[in-house]
Amino acid sequence: MNSKQVNFSKFSSIKIGDILDVTLLKNCKDFVKDSYLIGSCNNILIGTQPPPLIKLDKKYDYIKIENNQLKIGGATPSGKIASFCKKNNLTNFEFLSHLPGTLGGLVFMNAGLKEYEIFNNLISIKTCNGIKQKDEIEFGYRFTNISTPILEASFNLEYGFKQNKIELFKKMRANQPKNPSAGSCFKNPLGDYAGRLIESVGLKGRRVGGMEFSSIHANFLVNVDNGKFDDAIFLIQEAQKKVYEKFNIWLECEIVILDKRYLGDKSPLLKP
Ligand SMILES: Cc1cc2nc3c(=O)[nH]c(=O)nc-3n(C[C@H](O)[C@H](O)[C@H](O)COP(=O)(O)OP(=O)(O)OC[C@H]3O[C@@H](n4cnc5c(N)ncnc54)[C@H](O)[C@@H]3O)c2cc1C
C-alpha cells in the first residue's frame, strides 16, 4: 500500500494541521477500517489527534463523456470539472468554478451554492460497495448517507454553458472573507442563518489565538494569524454554547472535525 506525507498546514484550506502520513487508495481492498477518507480538505479541520487518513489515488482524477453521460472520478478537482464543462459547452456545473473540492467530497457533502447543488444532475455513483442510483441515496442540505468511498459519479449531460452564471456565483462570493477557512463553519438551522445567530450572541469578529469568526461573515471561522486547532475548537464550542443558551438552537458543524476526541459519538463537548 502506498502512502505519502501531507503537510496539512499547507494542504488544508484552513491551513491547520501537522505533517501526517496519508494512505493512497488505489483499490478498495486498500481501505483500512477505522481510517478516514479525505478529499482536498476544503471542509475539514484536522486535529492534533487525527484518525488514520486515506485519500483517493490520482488514478481517480479524470473526467470524460461516455454513453451520453458525464463521468467524473472521485479525486477530480472542482476547477478541472468547471473548465471541462466550459470547454465542452456543458451547463449545470458553472457553480463549481467558485466551489473548492474534489468530486468525492462534493458529492459526499452534497455541496452547492443556494439552489445549485451537486445532486441536482446526479444519476449514480460508483463506490467501494458497488453502484448506487441517486434514488437509493438519502440526501439533503449538505447531507448524504453515503458511508463508503465514492470512486466515480455519473451526471446528466446538458449542453449550453452559461457564462452569466459564472458572474452570478462570483458575486455570491463577494461577501465572503479571503482569509483561509474551511467554508461555512456551521450548517444553517432550518429557517435561520448560522451567521446571524453567531452575530446575535456577540461573536462576530471574536478572536482566540490566530482564529476568528470573521468580521466580514460571522459563519466563517478564519485563520488570521497561524491559528491552531485548539483555538478553532474553543470558538466552535463557545458559539454552540452561547447560541444554545440564548436561542435554544444547537448549531451543527458543517466543518468536519477530524480528531479522535470529537469524531462521531465520541464528541460530548460538541453536543448539548
Ligand atoms: C472558501 C470556501 C468556500 C466554500 N463554500 C462552500 C459553499 O458555498 N457550498 C458548499 O457546499 N461548500 C462550500 N465549501 C466547502 C467545500 O468546498 C465542500 O464541502 C467540498 O465539497 C469539499 O470537498 P473536498 O474534496 O475538499 O472534501 P474534504 O473537505 O476533504 O472532505 C469533506 C467530506 O467529504 C468526504 N469525502 C471526501 N472525498 C470523498 C470520497 N471520494 N468519497 C466519500 N467521501 C468523501 C470526507 O470524508 C469528508 O467527510 C467551501 C470551502 C471553502 C474553503
Side-chain angles (χ1 to χ4, degrees), residues 13 36-44 56 74 98-113 142 146 148-151 173 176-177 181-184 220 254 256:
S13 61
Y36 200 94
L37 185 70
I38 59 167
S40 50
C41 251
N42 282 288
N43 207 37
I44 284 180
L56 291 185
H98 287 93
L99 213 168
T102 56
L103 189 274
L106 295 162
V107 172
F108 178 82
M109 300 298 297
N110 187 17
L113 278 171
R142 305 294 169 265
I146 300 166
T148 169
I150 300 158
L151 307 175
R173 287 281 180 230
Q176 292 183 356
S181 75
S184 299
F220 273 71
E254 181 167 323
V256 178

Short mmCIF file of all heavy atoms in Angstrom, two decimals, residues 13 36-44 56 74 98-113 142 146 148-151 173 176-177 181-184 220 254 256, ligand 1:
data_model
loop_
_atom_site.label_atom_id
_atom_site.label_comp_id
_atom_site.label_asym_id
_atom_site.label_seq_id
_atom_site.Cartn_x
_atom_site.Cartn_y
_atom_site.Cartn_z
N SER A 13 -7.50 23.87 3.43
CA SER A 13 -7.86 25.25 3.10
C SER A 13 -7.82 26.15 4.33
O SER A 13 -7.61 27.35 4.21
CB SER A 13 -9.25 25.30 2.46
OG SER A 13 -10.21 24.79 3.37
N TYR A 36 -9.99 7.37 7.89
CA TYR A 36 -10.94 8.39 7.43
C TYR A 36 -10.50 8.92 6.08
O TYR A 36 -9.36 9.34 5.89
CB TYR A 36 -11.01 9.52 8.47
CG TYR A 36 -12.27 10.32 8.30
CD1 TYR A 36 -13.42 10.02 9.03
CD2 TYR A 36 -12.33 11.34 7.36
CE1 TYR A 36 -14.59 10.73 8.82
CE2 TYR A 36 -13.50 12.05 7.16
CZ TYR A 36 -14.62 11.74 7.90
OH TYR A 36 -15.78 12.44 7.69
N LEU A 37 -11.44 8.93 5.13
CA LEU A 37 -11.15 9.35 3.77
C LEU A 37 -11.21 10.88 3.66
O LEU A 37 -12.18 11.50 4.10
CB LEU A 37 -12.19 8.73 2.83
CG LEU A 37 -11.98 8.95 1.35
CD1 LEU A 37 -10.77 8.18 0.85
CD2 LEU A 37 -13.21 8.51 0.57
N ILE A 38 -10.17 11.46 3.05
CA ILE A 38 -10.21 12.90 2.81
C ILE A 38 -10.18 13.17 1.31
O ILE A 38 -9.73 12.33 0.53
CB ILE A 38 -9.02 13.64 3.49
CG1 ILE A 38 -7.68 13.10 2.98
CG2 ILE A 38 -9.10 13.51 5.01
CD1 ILE A 38 -6.49 13.97 3.34
N GLY A 39 -10.69 14.34 0.93
CA GLY A 39 -10.60 14.78 -0.46
C GLY A 39 -9.50 15.82 -0.53
O GLY A 39 -8.34 15.53 -0.22
N SER A 40 -9.86 17.08 -0.85
CA SER A 40 -8.83 18.13 -0.89
C SER A 40 -8.88 19.01 0.35
O SER A 40 -8.30 20.10 0.36
CB SER A 40 -8.94 18.94 -2.17
OG SER A 40 -10.27 19.36 -2.37
N CYS A 41 -9.59 18.55 1.39
CA CYS A 41 -9.56 19.20 2.71
C CYS A 41 -10.04 20.66 2.70
O CYS A 41 -9.43 21.52 3.33
CB CYS A 41 -8.15 19.14 3.27
SG CYS A 41 -8.04 18.01 4.64
N ASN A 42 -11.08 20.91 1.95
CA ASN A 42 -11.68 22.25 1.94
C ASN A 42 -12.79 22.38 2.96
O ASN A 42 -13.36 23.46 3.13
CB ASN A 42 -12.23 22.57 0.55
CG ASN A 42 -11.12 22.97 -0.38
OD1 ASN A 42 -10.56 24.06 -0.25
ND2 ASN A 42 -10.76 22.09 -1.29
N ASN A 43 -13.13 21.27 3.61
CA ASN A 43 -14.22 21.31 4.58
C ASN A 43 -13.82 20.60 5.87
O ASN A 43 -14.67 20.22 6.66
CB ASN A 43 -15.44 20.60 3.95
CG ASN A 43 -16.73 21.11 4.51
OD1 ASN A 43 -16.86 22.30 4.79
ND2 ASN A 43 -17.68 20.22 4.70
N ILE A 44 -12.52 20.41 6.03
CA ILE A 44 -12.03 19.58 7.13
C ILE A 44 -11.11 20.39 8.05
O ILE A 44 -10.28 21.17 7.57
CB ILE A 44 -11.28 18.34 6.56
CG1 ILE A 44 -12.31 17.32 6.04
CG2 ILE A 44 -10.38 17.70 7.60
CD1 ILE A 44 -11.71 16.06 5.44
N LEU A 56 -7.98 9.20 -2.08
CA LEU A 56 -8.02 8.50 -3.38
C LEU A 56 -6.74 8.75 -4.16
O LEU A 56 -6.22 9.87 -4.18
CB LEU A 56 -9.21 9.00 -4.22
CG LEU A 56 -10.63 8.66 -3.79
CD1 LEU A 56 -11.62 9.14 -4.86
CD2 LEU A 56 -10.81 7.16 -3.55
N GLY A 74 -13.57 10.32 -8.56
CA GLY A 74 -13.73 10.89 -7.22
C GLY A 74 -12.66 11.88 -6.80
O GLY A 74 -12.89 12.73 -5.95
N HIS A 98 -16.58 28.26 -8.52
CA HIS A 98 -16.36 29.02 -7.28
C HIS A 98 -16.60 28.17 -6.05
O HIS A 98 -17.04 28.67 -5.01
CB HIS A 98 -17.25 30.27 -7.26
CG HIS A 98 -16.76 31.30 -8.22
ND1 HIS A 98 -17.22 31.39 -9.51
CD2 HIS A 98 -15.80 32.24 -8.08
CE1 HIS A 98 -16.56 32.37 -10.12
NE2 HIS A 98 -15.71 32.89 -9.28
N LEU A 99 -16.39 26.88 -6.16
CA LEU A 99 -16.62 25.99 -5.02
C LEU A 99 -15.47 24.97 -4.95
O LEU A 99 -15.41 24.07 -5.78
CB LEU A 99 -17.96 25.27 -5.22
CG LEU A 99 -18.77 24.94 -3.98
CD1 LEU A 99 -20.17 24.51 -4.37
CD2 LEU A 99 -18.12 23.92 -3.12
N PRO A 100 -14.56 25.14 -3.99
CA PRO A 100 -13.38 24.26 -3.97
C PRO A 100 -13.69 22.86 -3.47
O PRO A 100 -14.51 22.68 -2.56
CB PRO A 100 -12.43 24.98 -3.00
CG PRO A 100 -13.31 25.77 -2.09
CD PRO A 100 -14.54 26.13 -2.90
N GLY A 101 -13.04 21.85 -4.04
CA GLY A 101 -13.23 20.48 -3.56
C GLY A 101 -12.91 19.48 -4.65
O GLY A 101 -12.58 19.84 -5.77
N THR A 102 -13.02 18.20 -4.29
CA THR A 102 -12.91 17.14 -5.29
C THR A 102 -14.30 16.53 -5.46
O THR A 102 -15.17 16.69 -4.59
CB THR A 102 -11.95 16.02 -4.82
OG1 THR A 102 -12.42 15.55 -3.55
CG2 THR A 102 -10.52 16.51 -4.69
N LEU A 103 -14.48 15.81 -6.56
CA LEU A 103 -15.81 15.25 -6.84
C LEU A 103 -16.34 14.43 -5.66
O LEU A 103 -17.51 14.56 -5.28
CB LEU A 103 -15.72 14.42 -8.12
CG LEU A 103 -16.95 13.88 -8.80
CD1 LEU A 103 -17.40 12.55 -8.22
CD2 LEU A 103 -18.10 14.87 -8.81
N GLY A 104 -15.47 13.60 -5.05
CA GLY A 104 -15.90 12.75 -3.93
C GLY A 104 -16.41 13.58 -2.76
O GLY A 104 -17.47 13.31 -2.19
N GLY A 105 -15.66 14.62 -2.40
CA GLY A 105 -16.06 15.50 -1.29
C GLY A 105 -17.32 16.28 -1.63
O GLY A 105 -18.20 16.47 -0.78
N LEU A 106 -17.42 16.72 -2.87
CA LEU A 106 -18.60 17.49 -3.29
C LEU A 106 -19.87 16.64 -3.20
O LEU A 106 -20.90 17.09 -2.71
CB LEU A 106 -18.42 18.01 -4.73
CG LEU A 106 -17.29 19.02 -4.96
CD1 LEU A 106 -16.93 19.10 -6.44
CD2 LEU A 106 -17.67 20.40 -4.43
N VAL A 107 -19.76 15.39 -3.66
CA VAL A 107 -20.93 14.51 -3.63
C VAL A 107 -21.25 14.12 -2.18
O VAL A 107 -22.40 14.18 -1.75
CB VAL A 107 -20.71 13.26 -4.52
CG1 VAL A 107 -21.84 12.25 -4.34
CG2 VAL A 107 -20.64 13.67 -5.99
N PHE A 108 -20.23 13.75 -1.43
CA PHE A 108 -20.46 13.32 -0.04
C PHE A 108 -21.16 14.43 0.76
O PHE A 108 -22.04 14.15 1.59
CB PHE A 108 -19.13 12.96 0.64
CG PHE A 108 -19.31 12.57 2.08
CD1 PHE A 108 -19.69 11.28 2.41
CD2 PHE A 108 -19.12 13.48 3.11
CE1 PHE A 108 -19.88 10.91 3.74
CE2 PHE A 108 -19.32 13.13 4.44
CZ PHE A 108 -19.70 11.83 4.75
N MET A 109 -20.78 15.69 0.52
CA MET A 109 -21.35 16.81 1.27
C MET A 109 -22.61 17.36 0.61
O MET A 109 -23.22 18.29 1.12
CB MET A 109 -20.35 17.98 1.38
CG MET A 109 -19.04 17.67 2.06
SD MET A 109 -19.24 17.18 3.79
CE MET A 109 -19.93 18.63 4.55
N ASN A 110 -22.98 16.83 -0.55
CA ASN A 110 -23.97 17.47 -1.42
C ASN A 110 -23.72 18.98 -1.42
O ASN A 110 -24.57 19.80 -1.06
CB ASN A 110 -25.41 17.17 -1.00
CG ASN A 110 -26.42 17.71 -2.02
OD1 ASN A 110 -26.05 18.01 -3.16
ND2 ASN A 110 -27.67 17.84 -1.61
N ALA A 111 -22.51 19.32 -1.85
CA ALA A 111 -22.08 20.72 -1.83
C ALA A 111 -22.86 21.52 -2.87
O ALA A 111 -23.36 20.98 -3.86
CB ALA A 111 -20.58 20.78 -2.13
N GLY A 112 -22.96 22.80 -2.62
CA GLY A 112 -23.66 23.66 -3.57
C GLY A 112 -23.66 25.11 -3.17
O GLY A 112 -23.15 25.49 -2.11
N LEU A 113 -24.24 25.91 -4.05
CA LEU A 113 -24.42 27.33 -3.81
C LEU A 113 -25.90 27.62 -4.01
O LEU A 113 -26.41 27.44 -5.12
CB LEU A 113 -23.62 28.15 -4.83
CG LEU A 113 -22.13 28.36 -4.56
CD1 LEU A 113 -21.46 28.99 -5.77
CD2 LEU A 113 -21.93 29.26 -3.36
N ARG A 142 -26.45 19.83 2.51
CA ARG A 142 -25.09 19.47 2.98
C ARG A 142 -25.10 18.12 3.69
O ARG A 142 -24.41 17.93 4.70
CB ARG A 142 -24.52 20.55 3.91
CG ARG A 142 -24.51 21.93 3.36
CD ARG A 142 -23.57 22.10 2.16
NE ARG A 142 -23.83 23.39 1.55
CZ ARG A 142 -24.65 23.57 0.52
NH1 ARG A 142 -25.28 22.54 -0.03
NH2 ARG A 142 -24.84 24.77 0.02
N ILE A 146 -24.09 8.55 2.47
CA ILE A 146 -23.07 7.71 1.84
C ILE A 146 -22.01 7.35 2.89
O ILE A 146 -21.56 8.21 3.63
CB ILE A 146 -22.40 8.47 0.65
CG1 ILE A 146 -23.46 8.83 -0.40
CG2 ILE A 146 -21.26 7.65 0.05
CD1 ILE A 146 -23.00 9.84 -1.43
N THR A 148 -19.28 5.05 2.19
CA THR A 148 -18.23 4.28 1.53
C THR A 148 -17.54 5.21 0.52
O THR A 148 -18.16 6.15 0.04
CB THR A 148 -18.88 3.06 0.81
OG1 THR A 148 -17.93 2.45 -0.04
CG2 THR A 148 -20.07 3.44 -0.03
N PRO A 149 -16.25 4.95 0.22
CA PRO A 149 -15.56 5.83 -0.73
C PRO A 149 -16.28 5.95 -2.08
O PRO A 149 -16.68 4.94 -2.66
CB PRO A 149 -14.18 5.17 -0.89
CG PRO A 149 -13.97 4.44 0.38
CD PRO A 149 -15.33 3.95 0.81
N ILE A 150 -16.42 7.18 -2.54
CA ILE A 150 -17.02 7.45 -3.86
C ILE A 150 -15.87 7.45 -4.87
O ILE A 150 -14.95 8.27 -4.76
CB ILE A 150 -17.74 8.82 -3.87
CG1 ILE A 150 -18.84 8.84 -2.81
CG2 ILE A 150 -18.28 9.15 -5.26
CD1 ILE A 150 -19.24 10.25 -2.37
N LEU A 151 -15.92 6.54 -5.82
CA LEU A 151 -14.83 6.42 -6.79
C LEU A 151 -15.13 7.20 -8.06
O LEU A 151 -14.24 7.72 -8.72
CB LEU A 151 -14.61 4.94 -7.14
CG LEU A 151 -14.40 3.99 -5.95
CD1 LEU A 151 -14.32 2.56 -6.41
CD2 LEU A 151 -13.14 4.39 -5.18
N ARG A 173 -19.96 35.24 -3.94
CA ARG A 173 -18.75 35.06 -3.14
C ARG A 173 -18.22 36.38 -2.58
O ARG A 173 -17.35 36.38 -1.71
CB ARG A 173 -17.64 34.44 -4.00
CG ARG A 173 -17.86 33.00 -4.29
CD ARG A 173 -17.47 32.19 -3.11
NE ARG A 173 -17.65 30.79 -3.29
CZ ARG A 173 -18.28 30.01 -2.42
NH1 ARG A 173 -18.79 30.51 -1.33
NH2 ARG A 173 -18.39 28.74 -2.62
N GLN A 176 -17.74 37.19 1.12
CA GLN A 176 -17.05 36.18 1.95
C GLN A 176 -15.59 36.58 2.17
O GLN A 176 -14.95 37.16 1.30
CB GLN A 176 -17.13 34.81 1.29
CG GLN A 176 -18.56 34.29 1.28
CD GLN A 176 -18.68 32.90 0.70
OE1 GLN A 176 -17.70 32.32 0.24
NE2 GLN A 176 -19.87 32.36 0.73
N PRO A 177 -15.06 36.26 3.36
CA PRO A 177 -13.68 36.65 3.67
C PRO A 177 -12.66 35.92 2.80
O PRO A 177 -12.91 34.81 2.35
CB PRO A 177 -13.52 36.25 5.13
CG PRO A 177 -14.59 35.28 5.41
CD PRO A 177 -15.71 35.54 4.47
N SER A 181 -10.03 29.44 5.37
CA SER A 181 -11.17 28.93 6.15
C SER A 181 -11.50 27.54 5.60
O SER A 181 -10.89 27.09 4.63
CB SER A 181 -12.39 29.84 5.98
OG SER A 181 -12.98 29.63 4.70
N ALA A 182 -12.50 26.90 6.21
CA ALA A 182 -12.99 25.63 5.64
C ALA A 182 -14.42 25.85 5.16
O ALA A 182 -15.27 24.96 5.25
CB ALA A 182 -12.89 24.51 6.66
N GLY A 183 -14.70 27.03 4.66
CA GLY A 183 -16.06 27.36 4.22
C GLY A 183 -16.93 27.69 5.42
O GLY A 183 -16.42 28.10 6.48
N SER A 184 -18.23 27.48 5.30
CA SER A 184 -19.14 27.79 6.41
C SER A 184 -18.82 26.87 7.58
O SER A 184 -18.68 25.67 7.41
CB SER A 184 -20.59 27.55 6.00
OG SER A 184 -20.91 28.40 4.92
N PHE A 220 -17.94 32.29 9.01
CA PHE A 220 -16.64 31.82 8.50
C PHE A 220 -15.62 31.90 9.63
O PHE A 220 -15.33 32.98 10.14
CB PHE A 220 -16.17 32.67 7.32
CG PHE A 220 -16.70 32.20 6.00
CD1 PHE A 220 -18.04 32.36 5.70
CD2 PHE A 220 -15.89 31.57 5.08
CE1 PHE A 220 -18.56 31.91 4.49
CE2 PHE A 220 -16.39 31.11 3.87
CZ PHE A 220 -17.73 31.27 3.58
N GLU A 254 -20.77 22.29 10.03
CA GLU A 254 -20.67 21.86 8.63
C GLU A 254 -19.22 21.37 8.40
O GLU A 254 -18.97 20.42 7.69
CB GLU A 254 -21.02 23.01 7.69
CG GLU A 254 -20.96 22.59 6.22
CD GLU A 254 -21.58 23.59 5.28
OE1 GLU A 254 -22.61 24.22 5.62
OE2 GLU A 254 -21.03 23.74 4.16
N VAL A 256 -16.00 19.38 8.97
CA VAL A 256 -15.77 18.03 9.50
C VAL A 256 -14.53 18.08 10.40
O VAL A 256 -13.45 18.45 9.93
CB VAL A 256 -15.55 17.03 8.34
CG1 VAL A 256 -15.27 15.64 8.86
CG2 VAL A 256 -16.75 17.03 7.39
C1 LIG B 1 -13.64 29.35 0.86
C2 LIG B 1 -14.58 28.16 0.87
C3 LIG B 1 -15.89 28.33 0.47
C4 LIG B 1 -16.77 27.25 0.49
N1 LIG B 1 -18.06 27.44 0.07
C5 LIG B 1 -18.90 26.40 0.02
C6 LIG B 1 -20.23 26.57 -0.48
O1 LIG B 1 -20.63 27.65 -0.89
N2 LIG B 1 -21.05 25.49 -0.51
C7 LIG B 1 -20.63 24.27 -0.08
O2 LIG B 1 -21.42 23.32 -0.15
N3 LIG B 1 -19.38 24.08 0.42
C8 LIG B 1 -18.50 25.11 0.46
N4 LIG B 1 -17.24 24.93 0.95
C9 LIG B 1 -16.86 23.61 1.49
C10 LIG B 1 -16.19 22.69 0.46
O3 LIG B 1 -15.91 23.38 -0.71
C11 LIG B 1 -17.10 21.49 0.14
O4 LIG B 1 -17.55 20.82 1.29
C12 LIG B 1 -16.38 20.46 -0.75
O5 LIG B 1 -17.33 19.50 -1.11
C13 LIG B 1 -15.22 19.77 -0.03
O6 LIG B 1 -14.58 18.88 -0.94
P1 LIG B 1 -13.19 18.23 -0.55
O7 LIG B 1 -12.75 17.33 -1.65
O8 LIG B 1 -12.22 19.29 -0.16
O9 LIG B 1 -13.61 17.33 0.70
P2 LIG B 1 -12.92 17.25 2.12
O10 LIG B 1 -13.01 18.57 2.79
O11 LIG B 1 -11.56 16.65 2.00
O12 LIG B 1 -13.90 16.20 2.83
C14 LIG B 1 -15.21 16.59 3.17
C15 LIG B 1 -16.03 15.32 3.48
O13 LIG B 1 -16.17 14.57 2.27
C16 LIG B 1 -15.76 13.23 2.48
N5 LIG B 1 -15.13 12.74 1.24
C17 LIG B 1 -14.11 13.31 0.56
N6 LIG B 1 -13.83 12.59 -0.55
C18 LIG B 1 -14.68 11.53 -0.54
C19 LIG B 1 -14.88 10.41 -1.40
N7 LIG B 1 -14.15 10.22 -2.52
N8 LIG B 1 -15.84 9.51 -1.06
C20 LIG B 1 -16.61 9.67 0.06
N9 LIG B 1 -16.46 10.71 0.90
C21 LIG B 1 -15.51 11.63 0.60
C22 LIG B 1 -14.74 13.28 3.62
O14 LIG B 1 -14.69 12.02 4.28
C23 LIG B 1 -15.35 14.38 4.48
O15 LIG B 1 -16.33 13.87 5.34
C24 LIG B 1 -16.34 25.98 0.93
C25 LIG B 1 -15.00 25.82 1.34
C26 LIG B 1 -14.13 26.89 1.30
C27 LIG B 1 -12.69 26.69 1.74
#
